[in-house]
Amino acid sequence: MAALTNPRSDRVKSVRALSRRSVREKTGRFLVEGPQGVREAVRWRPDLVVDVYVTPGAAGRYAADIVEPATAAGLFVHEVSDEVLAAMCDADAPQGVAAVCRVPESSLDAVLAEGPRLLVLLTNVRDPGNAGTVIRGADATGAAAVLVSEASVDVFSPKVVRSTVGSLFHLPVVTGLDIEATVARLRADGIRVLAADGAGERLLGDVDLTPSHAWVMGNEAWGLPEETRALCDEVVRVPIWGKAESLNLAMAATVCLYASAGAQNR
Amino acid sequence: MAALTNPRSDRVKSVRALSRRSVREKTGRFLVEGPQGVREAVRWRPDLVVDVYVTPGAAGRYAADIVEPATAAGLFVHEVSDEVLAAMCDADAPQGVAAVCRVPESSLDAVLAEGPRLLVLLTNVRDPGNAGTVIRGADATGAAAVLVSEASVDVFSPKVVRSTVGSLFHLPVVTGLDIEATVARLRADGIRVLAADGAGERLLGDVDLTPSHAWVMGNEAWGLPEETRALCDEVVRVPIWGKAESLNLAMAATVCLYASAGAQNR
């Protein structure tokens, strides 16, 4: 296999262009950077993988994890120079491997048809690291899906994808949802909707988390607006025992999701 | 009060130099950037505050939170131009306020003399955001102190300070500790030492967290080395219900600390 060595080729430019939201939306593709994400894509969703790019150094290091299973699945694995990979990627250190993938299709209908017990609904979340960490936490706690409102960060942007370390291939992530309609739909389906917010009157430990429920998580800086909280069944607060004023969004989501999974898997 | 407007003055240079570890160690000072951290410094540890710097725009915005209490406490509050503040700070957007503070003095002896029920010991933690988030989580869960081994990131570096959003002024953070000697000392004092590691044989939910204990948290990428785990009373694993391979350090620490605080504050 001849290695791709020209960092100014059209192919490199078209991969790099996936760092732009408009290009992702037009092509329906996104870039996964780094071995963890690519390995999970190849393992769980090879149907989404369009091209795998790997440097000579990484090809040996990730032979068993990535190159062999990708080849066995009939995927296109391209050897590229370090310069080409760097030119393709948003990250400073893509660790020798990246993959172009199709954006997975998912819908609220499909998620609800499975009778989900635990869901997360993100609204107005802007920080990529927070969004990615919440998706990873939803995955770790066995949530059925992550739902994302239209006013949130694009979860297929490079920073979010990196911080999910592969969880995007583990559970459905439904994007572009209207927050009001989604909350109403969840409640109509018998799913309790719990707003996580520092202004909540009920403490996390006092809420029965065994029935099916969805956590609504809001913006990093200003939490959930009053009109969103008013749509929910309850507004729940994570307790603070020390002098800290608050938790960041990813921490609060992790605590809530672990409380849910603990209650549902006892 | 005449505003400082020369971004190339010696004062600005000496503040900016605090982004270097060698300068922090030589001077015993560090820089706190942004309103949350400065407010907490002024509120909880005015004895540590050397100088507060505020832009005209921020002086009004944070009058009640920062400027008035700082002035009432006899602290030096300097008005600076936006250019001067930007030249002083590591952050792209310091939000109009920063403060030079003395590094707080603390010691393992002083922490142990208080009979701590919950502690965190960080070893080989390199990522500033993770370290800062763990300190914030320790604060939120009412931990008595955070202990940091000599092989970890400097917790007074700009990125860690920012991600603690003031928690450095809420609880003692003891740095430069030898990991072996510290674990031995904790155990000799009757504090159970629990290693948090994905390789743990016991699940978090199966551990009695009511007695005094310390969580040992290791490196982001490779966890705790075998020799460190061997020093601890138990190696404990946070459960994973979904397909995620792991949690990041900040998430794992948050889950462990909330489990501890929940058990100790029932």
Side-chain angles (χ1 to χ4, degrees):
Chain A
M1 152 176 91
L4 304 174
T5 56
N6 179 6
R8 279 169 298 278
S9 71
D10 287 346
R11 181 189 281 264
V12 171
K13 283 180 196 155
S14 74
V15 173
R16 179 55 186 249
L18 295 174
S19 64
R20 298 208 303 273
R21 186 171 192 158
S22 59
V23 176
R24 292 193 297 275
E25 286 176 354
K26 195 174 135 204
T27 62
R29 296 178 175 189
F30 69 109
L31 184 65
V32 182
E33 303 172 13
Q36 292 168 298
V38 175
R39 184 191 61 214
E40 298 306 293
V42 169
R43 180 172 176 197
W44 295 99
R45 294 299 306 268
D47 57 305
L48 298 176
V49 179
V50 179
D51 286 295
V52 176
Y53 297 100
V54 61
T55 63
R61 201 156 63 241
Y62 303 115
D65 266 15
I66 295 173
V67 178
E68 287 161 19
T71 307
L75 302 177
F76 293 103
V77 180
H78 309 269
E79 200 167 287
V80 295
S81 64
D82 291 339
E83 292 70 31
V84 163
L85 194 74
M88 285 176 164
C89 289
D90 173 80
D92 291 336
Q95 297 177 262
V97 57
V100 172
C101 295
R102 275 180 280 274
V103 170
E105 287 183 30
S106 52
S107 71
L108 185 55
D109 285 340
V111 167
L112 291 176
E114 301 286 326
R117 297 190 63 199
L118 178 58
L119 293 168
V120 184
L121 172 51
L122 299 179
T123 178
N124 283 299
V125 170
R126 303 285 162 77
D127 179 77
N130 271 333
T133 303
V134 174
I135 292 170
R136 187 176 179 181
D139 182 12
T141 52
V146 176
L147 314 177
V148 184
S149 84
E150 53 200 353
S152 291
V153 65
D154 177 13
V155 299
F156 298 101
S157 68
K159 282 185 185 164
V160 180
V161 173
R162 282 201 297 277
S163 60
T164 64
V165 292
S167 289
L168 282 172
F169 303 104
H170 295 164
L171 80 171
V173 178
V174 186
T175 60
L177 295 167
D178 176 80
I179 181 72
E180 285 196 33
T182 304
V183 170
R185 177 74 196 283
L186 293 172
R187 295 184 66 184
D189 263 52
I191 295 169
R192 283 181 67 73
V193 179
L194 308 176
D197 194 288
E201 60 274 13
R202 289 202 70 188
L203 275 171
L204 178 61
D206 298 334
V207 180
D208 180 9
L209 297 170
T210 49
S212 293
H213 60 277
W215 283 109
V216 184
M217 305 275 167
N219 183 268
E220 294 79 1
W222 32 268
L224 288 166
E226 171 55 33
E227 62 266 29
T228 304
R229 281 185 266 143
L231 300 172
C232 299
D233 290 291
E234 299 214 56
V235 184
V236 180
R237 175 165 51 96
V238 174
I240 303 259
W241 286 282
K243 300 190 189 100
E245 197 190 329
S246 63
L247 300 174
N248 71 32
L249 173 65
M251 297 166 84
T254 302
V255 173
C256 291
L257 285 165
Y258 265 88
S260 296
Q264 295 187 342
N265 294 282
R266 235 191 304 253
Chain B
M1 160 174 86
L4 304 174
T5 55
N6 178 6
R8 279 168 298 279
S9 71
D10 287 347
R11 180 189 282 265
V12 171
K13 283 179 195 156
S14 73
V15 173
R16 180 52 184 252
L18 294 174
S19 64
R20 298 209 302 274
R21 185 171 192 158
S22 59
V23 175
R24 291 193 297 274
E25 287 176 352
K26 196 174 134 203
T27 61
R29 295 177 176 190
F30 70 109
L31 184 65
V32 181
E33 303 172 14
Q36 292 169 298
V38 174
R39 183 191 60 213
E40 297 306 293
V42 169
R43 179 171 176 197
W44 295 97
R45 295 299 307 267
D47 57 305
L48 298 175
V49 180
V50 179
D51 286 296
V52 175
Y53 297 101
V54 62
T55 63
R61 202 156 63 241
Y62 304 115
D65 267 13
I66 294 173
V67 178
E68 286 162 20
T71 307
L75 301 176
F76 294 103
V77 180
H78 309 269
E79 199 168 288
V80 295
S81 65
D82 291 338
E83 292 69 30
V84 162
L85 195 74
M88 285 176 164
C89 288
D90 174 81
D92 291 336
Q95 297 177 262
V97 57
V100 172
C101 294
R102 274 180 282 272
V103 170
E105 287 183 29
S106 52
S107 72
L108 186 54
D109 285 340
V111 167
L112 293 175
E114 301 285 326
R117 295 190 64 197
L118 178 57
L119 293 168
V120 184
L121 172 51
L122 298 179
T123 178
N124 284 298
V125 171
R126 302 285 161 77
D127 179 75
N130 271 331
T133 303
V134 174
I135 293 170
R136 187 175 178 180
D139 181 11
T141 52
V146 176
L147 314 176
V148 184
S149 83
E150 53 201 355
S152 291
V153 65
D154 178 12
V155 298
F156 299 101
S157 68
K159 282 185 185 162
V160 180
V161 173
R162 281 201 298 276
S163 60
T164 64
V165 291
S167 288
L168 282 171
F169 303 104
H170 295 163
L171 80 171
V173 178
V174 186
T175 61
L177 295 167
D178 175 80
I179 180 73
E180 287 196 32
T182 304
V183 171
R185 177 73 198 282
L186 293 172
R187 296 184 65 186
D189 263 52
I191 295 168
R192 283 181 67 73
V193 179
L194 307 176
D197 194 288
E201 61 273 15
R202 290 201 70 187
L203 275 172
L204 179 61
D206 298 334
V207 180
D208 179 7
L209 296 171
T210 49
S212 293
H213 59 277
W215 284 108
V216 184
M217 304 276 166
N219 183 269
E220 293 80 2
W222 32 268
L224 288 166
E226 173 53 34
E227 62 265 29
T228 303
R229 282 186 266 142
L231 299 172
C232 298
D233 290 291
E234 299 214 56
V235 184
V236 179
R237 177 165 48 95
V238 174
I240 304 258
W241 285 282
K243 300 191 187 98
E245 197 191 330
S246 63
L247 300 174
N248 72 31
L249 172 65
M251 297 166 82
T254 302
V255 174
C256 291
L257 285 164
Y258 265 87
S260 296
Q264 294 187 343
N265 294 283
R266 235 191 304 256

CSV table of all heavy atoms in Angstrom, one decimal, chain A residues 233-257:
chain,number,residue,atom,x,y,z
A,233,ASP,N,-40.7,17.4,35.8
A,233,ASP,CA,-41.4,16.9,36.9
A,233,ASP,C,-40.8,17.4,38.3
A,233,ASP,O,-41.6,17.6,39.2
A,233,ASP,CB,-41.4,15.3,36.9
A,233,ASP,CG,-42.3,14.8,35.8
A,233,ASP,OD1,-43.5,14.9,35.9
A,233,ASP,OD2,-41.7,14.3,34.8
A,234,GLU,N,-39.5,17.4,38.3
A,234,GLU,CA,-38.8,17.9,39.5
A,234,GLU,C,-37.6,18.6,39.2
A,234,GLU,O,-36.9,18.3,38.1
A,234,GLU,CB,-38.5,16.7,40.4
A,234,GLU,CG,-39.6,15.9,40.8
A,234,GLU,CD,-39.4,15.3,42.2
A,234,GLU,OE1,-39.2,16.1,43.2
A,234,GLU,OE2,-39.5,14.1,42.4
A,235,VAL,N,-37.2,19.5,40.0
A,235,VAL,CA,-35.9,20.2,39.9
A,235,VAL,C,-35.0,19.6,41.1
A,235,VAL,O,-35.4,19.8,42.2
A,235,VAL,CB,-36.0,21.7,40.0
A,235,VAL,CG1,-34.6,22.3,39.7
A,235,VAL,CG2,-37.0,22.2,38.9
A,236,VAL,N,-33.9,19.0,40.7
A,236,VAL,CA,-33.1,18.3,41.7
A,236,VAL,C,-31.7,18.9,41.9
A,236,VAL,O,-31.1,19.3,40.9
A,236,VAL,CB,-33.0,16.8,41.2
A,236,VAL,CG1,-32.1,16.0,42.3
A,236,VAL,CG2,-34.3,16.2,41.0
A,237,ARG,N,-31.3,19.0,43.1
A,237,ARG,CA,-30.0,19.6,43.4
A,237,ARG,C,-29.0,18.6,43.9
A,237,ARG,O,-29.4,17.7,44.8
A,237,ARG,CB,-30.3,20.7,44.5
A,237,ARG,CG,-29.1,21.4,45.0
A,237,ARG,CD,-29.6,22.7,45.8
A,237,ARG,NE,-30.7,22.3,46.7
A,237,ARG,CZ,-30.5,22.1,48.0
A,237,ARG,NH1,-29.3,22.2,48.6
A,237,ARG,NH2,-31.5,21.8,48.8
A,238,VAL,N,-27.8,18.6,43.4
A,238,VAL,CA,-26.7,17.8,43.9
A,238,VAL,C,-26.2,18.4,45.2
A,238,VAL,O,-25.9,19.6,45.3
A,238,VAL,CB,-25.6,17.6,42.9
A,238,VAL,CG1,-24.4,16.9,43.5
A,238,VAL,CG2,-26.1,17.0,41.6
A,239,PRO,N,-26.1,17.6,46.3
A,239,PRO,CA,-25.7,18.3,47.6
A,239,PRO,C,-24.3,18.8,47.6
A,239,PRO,O,-23.4,18.2,46.9
A,239,PRO,CB,-25.9,17.2,48.6
A,239,PRO,CG,-25.8,15.9,47.8
A,239,PRO,CD,-26.4,16.2,46.5
A,240,ILE,N,-24.0,19.9,48.3
A,240,ILE,CA,-22.7,20.4,48.4
A,240,ILE,C,-22.4,20.4,50.0
A,240,ILE,O,-23.2,21.1,50.7
A,240,ILE,CB,-22.6,21.8,47.9
A,240,ILE,CG1,-22.9,21.8,46.4
A,240,ILE,CG2,-21.2,22.4,48.1
A,240,ILE,CD1,-21.8,21.9,45.4
A,241,TRP,N,-21.4,19.7,50.4
A,241,TRP,CA,-21.1,19.7,51.8
A,241,TRP,C,-20.1,20.7,52.3
A,241,TRP,O,-20.0,21.1,53.4
A,241,TRP,CB,-20.7,18.3,52.3
A,241,TRP,CG,-21.9,17.4,52.3
A,241,TRP,CD1,-22.8,17.3,53.3
A,241,TRP,CD2,-22.2,16.4,51.3
A,241,TRP,NE1,-23.7,16.3,53.0
A,241,TRP,CE2,-23.4,15.7,51.8
A,241,TRP,CE3,-21.7,16.0,50.1
A,241,TRP,CZ2,-24.0,14.7,51.1
A,241,TRP,CZ3,-22.3,15.0,49.4
A,241,TRP,CH2,-23.4,14.3,49.9
A,242,GLY,N,-19.2,21.1,51.3
A,242,GLY,CA,-18.1,22.0,51.7
A,242,GLY,C,-18.4,23.4,51.4
A,242,GLY,O,-19.6,23.8,51.4
A,243,LYS,N,-17.4,24.2,51.0
A,243,LYS,CA,-17.6,25.6,50.7
A,243,LYS,C,-17.7,25.9,49.2
A,243,LYS,O,-17.9,27.0,48.8
A,243,LYS,CB,-16.4,26.4,51.3
A,243,LYS,CG,-16.2,26.3,52.8
A,243,LYS,CD,-15.2,27.3,53.3
A,243,LYS,CE,-14.9,27.1,54.8
A,243,LYS,NZ,-13.6,26.4,54.9
A,244,ALA,N,-17.5,24.9,48.4
A,244,ALA,CA,-17.7,25.1,46.9
A,244,ALA,C,-19.0,25.6,46.6
A,244,ALA,O,-20.0,25.2,47.2
A,244,ALA,CB,-17.4,23.8,46.2
A,245,GLU,N,-19.1,26.6,45.7
A,245,GLU,CA,-20.4,27.1,45.3
A,245,GLU,C,-21.2,26.2,44.5
A,245,GLU,O,-22.4,26.2,44.5
A,245,GLU,CB,-20.1,28.5,44.6
A,245,GLU,CG,-21.3,29.4,44.5
A,245,GLU,CD,-21.0,30.5,43.6
A,245,GLU,OE1,-19.8,30.9,43.4
A,245,GLU,OE2,-21.9,31.0,42.9
A,246,SER,N,-20.5,25.4,43.6
A,246,SER,CA,-21.2,24.6,42.6
A,246,SER,C,-20.2,23.5,42.1
A,246,SER,O,-19.1,23.5,42.5
A,246,SER,CB,-21.6,25.5,41.5
A,246,SER,OG,-20.5,26.0,40.8
A,247,LEU,N,-20.8,22.7,41.3
A,247,LEU,CA,-20.0,21.7,40.5
A,247,LEU,C,-20.0,22.1,39.1
A,247,LEU,O,-20.9,22.9,38.7
A,247,LEU,CB,-20.7,20.3,40.6
A,247,LEU,CG,-20.8,19.7,42.0
A,247,LEU,CD1,-21.6,18.4,41.9
A,247,LEU,CD2,-19.4,19.5,42.6
A,248,ASN,N,-19.1,21.7,38.3
A,248,ASN,CA,-19.2,22.0,36.9
A,248,ASN,C,-20.2,21.0,36.3
A,248,ASN,O,-20.6,20.0,36.9
A,248,ASN,CB,-17.9,22.0,36.1
A,248,ASN,CG,-17.2,20.7,36.0
A,248,ASN,OD1,-17.9,19.7,35.9
A,248,ASN,ND2,-15.9,20.7,36.0
A,249,LEU,N,-20.6,21.3,35.1
A,249,LEU,CA,-21.7,20.5,34.5
A,249,LEU,C,-21.3,19.0,34.4
A,249,LEU,O,-22.2,18.1,34.7
A,249,LEU,CB,-22.0,21.0,33.1
A,249,LEU,CG,-22.9,20.2,32.2
A,249,LEU,CD1,-24.3,20.2,32.8
A,249,LEU,CD2,-23.0,20.7,30.8
A,250,ALA,N,-20.1,18.7,34.0
A,250,ALA,CA,-19.7,17.3,33.8
A,250,ALA,C,-19.7,16.6,35.1
A,250,ALA,O,-20.2,15.4,35.2
A,250,ALA,CB,-18.3,17.2,33.1
A,251,MET,N,-19.3,17.2,36.2
A,251,MET,CA,-19.3,16.6,37.5
A,251,MET,C,-20.7,16.4,38.0
A,251,MET,O,-21.1,15.3,38.5
A,251,MET,CB,-18.6,17.5,38.5
A,251,MET,CG,-17.1,17.8,38.3
A,251,MET,SD,-16.5,19.1,39.3
A,251,MET,CE,-16.2,18.3,40.8
A,252,ALA,N,-21.6,17.4,37.9
A,252,ALA,CA,-23.0,17.2,38.3
A,252,ALA,C,-23.7,16.1,37.5
A,252,ALA,O,-24.4,15.3,38.1
A,252,ALA,CB,-23.7,18.6,38.1
A,253,ALA,N,-23.4,16.1,36.2
A,253,ALA,CA,-24.1,15.0,35.4
A,253,ALA,C,-23.5,13.6,35.9
A,253,ALA,O,-24.3,12.7,35.9
A,253,ALA,CB,-23.8,15.2,33.9
A,254,THR,N,-22.3,13.5,36.1
A,254,THR,CA,-21.7,12.3,36.5
A,254,THR,C,-22.3,11.8,37.8
A,254,THR,O,-22.7,10.6,38.0
A,254,THR,CB,-20.2,12.4,36.7
A,254,THR,OG1,-19.6,12.8,35.4
A,254,THR,CG2,-19.5,11.1,37.1
A,255,VAL,N,-22.4,12.7,38.8
A,255,VAL,CA,-23.0,12.3,40.1
A,255,VAL,C,-24.5,11.9,39.9
A,255,VAL,O,-24.9,10.9,40.5
A,255,VAL,CB,-22.9,13.5,41.1
A,255,VAL,CG1,-23.7,13.2,42.4
A,255,VAL,CG2,-21.5,13.8,41.4
A,256,CYS,N,-25.3,12.6,39.1
A,256,CYS,CA,-26.7,12.3,38.9
A,256,CYS,C,-26.8,10.9,38.2
A,256,CYS,O,-27.6,10.1,38.6
A,256,CYS,CB,-27.4,13.3,38.1
A,256,CYS,SG,-27.6,14.9,39.0
A,257,LEU,N,-26.0,10.7,37.2
A,257,LEU,CA,-26.1,9.5,36.4
A,257,LEU,C,-25.7,8.3,37.2
A,257,LEU,O,-26.3,7.2,37.1
A,257,LEU,CB,-25.2,9.6,35.1
A,257,LEU,CG,-25.9,10.5,34.0
A,257,LEU,CD1,-24.8,10.8,33.0
A,257,LEU,CD2,-27.0,9.7,33.4
